[in-house]
Short mmCIF file of all heavy atoms in Angstrom, two decimals:
data_model
loop_
_atom_site.label_atom_id
_atom_site.label_comp_id
_atom_site.label_asym_id
_atom_site.label_seq_id
_atom_site.Cartn_x
_atom_site.Cartn_y
_atom_site.Cartn_z
N ALA A 193 105.80 106.19 93.07
CA ALA A 193 104.97 106.41 94.26
C ALA A 193 105.82 106.87 95.43
O ALA A 193 105.42 107.76 96.21
CB ALA A 193 104.22 105.13 94.61
N GLU A 194 106.99 106.28 95.59
CA GLU A 194 107.88 106.68 96.69
C GLU A 194 108.34 108.13 96.51
O GLU A 194 108.38 108.90 97.48
CB GLU A 194 109.08 105.74 96.74
CG GLU A 194 108.73 104.33 97.21
CD GLU A 194 109.88 103.35 97.06
OE1 GLU A 194 110.88 103.71 96.38
OE2 GLU A 194 109.78 102.24 97.61
N ALA A 195 108.67 108.51 95.30
CA ALA A 195 109.13 109.88 95.03
C ALA A 195 108.03 110.90 95.31
O ALA A 195 108.31 112.04 95.67
CB ALA A 195 109.61 110.00 93.59
N LEU A 196 106.77 110.48 95.15
CA LEU A 196 105.63 111.37 95.37
C LEU A 196 105.06 111.23 96.77
O LEU A 196 104.00 111.80 97.08
CB LEU A 196 104.53 111.06 94.34
CG LEU A 196 104.88 111.39 92.89
CD1 LEU A 196 103.92 110.70 91.93
CD2 LEU A 196 104.87 112.90 92.67
N SER A 197 105.73 110.46 97.65
CA SER A 197 105.28 110.23 99.03
C SER A 197 103.89 109.61 99.08
O SER A 197 103.06 109.95 99.93
CB SER A 197 105.31 111.55 99.83
OG SER A 197 106.61 112.09 99.87
N LEU A 198 103.62 108.67 98.17
CA LEU A 198 102.32 108.01 98.10
C LEU A 198 102.42 106.51 98.35
O LEU A 198 101.41 105.80 98.25
CB LEU A 198 101.70 108.23 96.71
CG LEU A 198 101.40 109.68 96.32
CD1 LEU A 198 101.03 109.76 94.84
CD2 LEU A 198 100.29 110.26 97.18
N ALA A 199 103.60 106.03 98.67
CA ALA A 199 103.81 104.58 98.78
C ALA A 199 102.96 103.93 99.85
O ALA A 199 102.65 102.73 99.77
CB ALA A 199 105.29 104.29 99.03
N ASP A 200 102.56 104.69 100.87
CA ASP A 200 101.78 104.09 101.96
C ASP A 200 100.31 103.90 101.57
O ASP A 200 99.57 103.22 102.29
CB ASP A 200 101.85 104.97 103.21
CG ASP A 200 101.31 106.38 102.98
OD1 ASP A 200 101.40 106.88 101.84
OD2 ASP A 200 100.80 106.98 103.94
N ARG A 201 99.89 104.42 100.42
CA ARG A 201 98.49 104.29 100.02
C ARG A 201 98.31 103.56 98.70
O ARG A 201 97.20 103.48 98.18
CB ARG A 201 97.83 105.67 99.96
CG ARG A 201 97.68 106.28 101.35
CD ARG A 201 96.76 107.47 101.36
NE ARG A 201 97.36 108.64 100.76
CZ ARG A 201 96.95 109.18 99.61
NH1 ARG A 201 95.94 108.64 98.94
NH2 ARG A 201 97.53 110.26 99.13
N ILE A 202 99.40 103.06 98.13
CA ILE A 202 99.32 102.29 96.90
C ILE A 202 100.08 100.99 97.08
O ILE A 202 101.25 100.99 97.43
CB ILE A 202 99.91 103.04 95.70
CG1 ILE A 202 99.31 104.45 95.57
CG2 ILE A 202 99.66 102.25 94.41
CD1 ILE A 202 99.96 105.29 94.48
N ALA A 203 99.40 99.86 96.85
CA ALA A 203 100.05 98.55 96.90
C ALA A 203 100.28 98.08 95.47
O ALA A 203 99.32 97.87 94.73
CB ALA A 203 99.19 97.55 97.67
N PHE A 204 101.54 97.94 95.07
CA PHE A 204 101.87 97.47 93.73
C PHE A 204 102.15 95.97 93.77
O PHE A 204 102.91 95.50 94.62
CB PHE A 204 103.09 98.21 93.18
CG PHE A 204 102.83 99.66 92.89
CD1 PHE A 204 103.30 100.65 93.74
CD2 PHE A 204 102.10 100.05 91.78
CE1 PHE A 204 103.06 101.99 93.49
CE2 PHE A 204 101.85 101.39 91.51
CZ PHE A 204 102.33 102.36 92.36
N VAL A 205 101.52 95.23 92.84
CA VAL A 205 101.65 93.78 92.81
C VAL A 205 101.98 93.34 91.39
O VAL A 205 101.29 93.71 90.44
CB VAL A 205 100.35 93.08 93.27
CG1 VAL A 205 100.54 91.57 93.28
CG2 VAL A 205 99.92 93.58 94.64
N CYS A 206 103.05 92.56 91.24
CA CYS A 206 103.43 92.04 89.92
C CYS A 206 102.66 90.76 89.67
O CYS A 206 102.93 89.72 90.30
CB CYS A 206 104.94 91.79 89.86
SG CYS A 206 105.52 91.33 88.21
N CYS A 207 101.69 90.81 88.77
CA CYS A 207 100.87 89.64 88.47
C CYS A 207 100.04 89.90 87.23
O CYS A 207 99.95 91.03 86.75
CB CYS A 207 99.95 89.29 89.65
SG CYS A 207 98.68 90.53 90.01
N ASP A 208 99.42 88.87 86.72
CA ASP A 208 98.50 88.95 85.59
C ASP A 208 97.11 89.27 86.14
O ASP A 208 96.56 88.48 86.93
CB ASP A 208 98.50 87.63 84.83
CG ASP A 208 97.60 87.66 83.61
OD1 ASP A 208 97.32 88.77 83.12
OD2 ASP A 208 97.20 86.59 83.15
N LEU A 209 96.57 90.39 85.75
CA LEU A 209 95.29 90.88 86.28
C LEU A 209 95.33 90.94 87.80
O LEU A 209 96.05 91.75 88.37
CB LEU A 209 94.13 90.03 85.77
CG LEU A 209 93.90 90.00 84.26
CD1 LEU A 209 92.60 89.28 83.93
CD2 LEU A 209 93.93 91.36 83.62
N ASP A 210 94.61 90.05 88.49
CA ASP A 210 94.59 90.08 89.96
C ASP A 210 95.18 88.81 90.56
O ASP A 210 95.01 88.54 91.75
CB ASP A 210 93.16 90.24 90.47
CG ASP A 210 92.33 88.98 90.32
OD1 ASP A 210 92.64 88.18 89.41
OD2 ASP A 210 91.39 88.78 91.10
N ALA A 211 95.91 88.02 89.76
CA ALA A 211 96.36 86.70 90.22
C ALA A 211 97.25 86.76 91.44
O ALA A 211 97.36 85.78 92.18
CB ALA A 211 97.10 85.99 89.08
N GLY A 212 97.89 87.89 91.70
CA GLY A 212 98.78 88.00 92.85
C GLY A 212 98.11 88.50 94.10
O GLY A 212 98.77 88.66 95.14
N LEU A 213 96.80 88.75 94.06
CA LEU A 213 96.10 89.27 95.23
C LEU A 213 95.51 88.13 96.05
O LEU A 213 95.06 87.12 95.50
CB LEU A 213 94.98 90.22 94.80
CG LEU A 213 95.35 91.38 93.87
CD1 LEU A 213 94.13 92.26 93.64
CD2 LEU A 213 96.51 92.18 94.44
N ALA A 214 95.50 88.32 97.33
CA ALA A 214 94.84 87.35 98.21
C ALA A 214 93.35 87.32 97.90
O ALA A 214 92.76 88.32 97.48
CB ALA A 214 95.08 87.70 99.67
N GLU A 215 92.73 86.17 98.10
CA GLU A 215 91.31 86.00 97.76
C GLU A 215 90.44 87.06 98.39
O GLU A 215 89.54 87.63 97.75
CB GLU A 215 90.84 84.61 98.20
CG GLU A 215 89.47 84.22 97.68
CD GLU A 215 89.45 84.02 96.17
OE1 GLU A 215 90.46 83.57 95.62
OE2 GLU A 215 88.41 84.33 95.55
N GLN A 216 90.72 87.41 99.64
CA GLN A 216 89.88 88.37 100.34
C GLN A 216 90.09 89.80 99.84
O GLN A 216 89.31 90.71 100.16
CB GLN A 216 90.13 88.32 101.85
CG GLN A 216 91.53 88.74 102.30
CD GLN A 216 92.49 87.58 102.34
OE1 GLN A 216 92.27 86.54 101.71
NE2 GLN A 216 93.55 87.72 103.12
N ASP A 217 91.17 90.01 99.06
CA ASP A 217 91.47 91.36 98.56
C ASP A 217 90.98 91.58 97.14
O ASP A 217 91.26 92.60 96.54
CB ASP A 217 92.98 91.61 98.62
CG ASP A 217 93.52 91.63 100.03
OD1 ASP A 217 92.76 92.00 100.94
OD2 ASP A 217 94.70 91.27 100.23
N ARG A 218 90.23 90.61 96.58
CA ARG A 218 89.82 90.70 95.18
C ARG A 218 88.41 91.21 94.99
O ARG A 218 87.90 91.22 93.87
CB ARG A 218 89.94 89.32 94.52
CG ARG A 218 91.35 88.77 94.48
CD ARG A 218 91.37 87.43 93.75
NE ARG A 218 92.70 86.83 93.77
CZ ARG A 218 93.02 85.70 93.18
NH1 ARG A 218 92.09 85.02 92.51
NH2 ARG A 218 94.25 85.22 93.24
N THR A 219 87.76 91.64 96.02
CA THR A 219 86.37 92.08 95.92
C THR A 219 86.19 93.43 96.62
O THR A 219 87.06 93.89 97.37
CB THR A 219 85.42 91.06 96.55
OG1 THR A 219 85.73 90.91 97.94
CG2 THR A 219 85.54 89.71 95.87
N GLY A 220 85.04 94.03 96.37
CA GLY A 220 84.65 95.23 97.11
C GLY A 220 85.27 96.53 96.63
O GLY A 220 85.25 97.53 97.36
N PHE A 221 85.78 96.56 95.41
CA PHE A 221 86.39 97.80 94.91
C PHE A 221 85.30 98.76 94.40
O PHE A 221 84.32 98.34 93.81
CB PHE A 221 87.37 97.50 93.77
CG PHE A 221 88.63 96.82 94.23
CD1 PHE A 221 88.78 95.45 94.06
CD2 PHE A 221 89.65 97.54 94.82
CE1 PHE A 221 89.95 94.82 94.48
CE2 PHE A 221 90.82 96.92 95.25
CZ PHE A 221 90.96 95.56 95.08
N ASP A 222 85.52 100.03 94.66
CA ASP A 222 84.61 101.05 94.15
C ASP A 222 84.90 101.39 92.69
O ASP A 222 84.01 101.81 91.95
CB ASP A 222 84.75 102.33 94.98
CG ASP A 222 84.42 102.10 96.44
OD1 ASP A 222 83.24 101.84 96.75
OD2 ASP A 222 85.36 102.15 97.27
N LEU A 223 86.16 101.19 92.29
CA LEU A 223 86.57 101.52 90.93
C LEU A 223 87.57 100.48 90.43
O LEU A 223 88.53 100.15 91.13
CB LEU A 223 87.22 102.91 90.89
CG LEU A 223 87.89 103.32 89.57
CD1 LEU A 223 86.85 103.50 88.46
CD2 LEU A 223 88.70 104.61 89.76
N LEU A 224 87.33 99.98 89.22
CA LEU A 224 88.30 99.19 88.47
C LEU A 224 88.68 100.04 87.27
O LEU A 224 87.83 100.35 86.43
CB LEU A 224 87.69 97.86 88.02
CG LEU A 224 88.46 97.07 86.96
CD1 LEU A 224 89.87 96.74 87.44
CD2 LEU A 224 87.70 95.80 86.58
#
Side-chain angles (χ1 to χ4, degrees):
E194 290 171 348
L196 293 164
S197 300
L198 298 170
D200 60 330
R201 292 193 287 111
I202 308 175
F204 292 104
V205 183
C206 187
C207 66
D208 182 22
L209 298 188
D210 74 333
L213 306 184
E215 191 67 33
Q216 65 270 20
D217 295 331
R218 297 182 184 182
T219 61
F221 289 101
D222 301 292
L223 171 67
L224 166 58

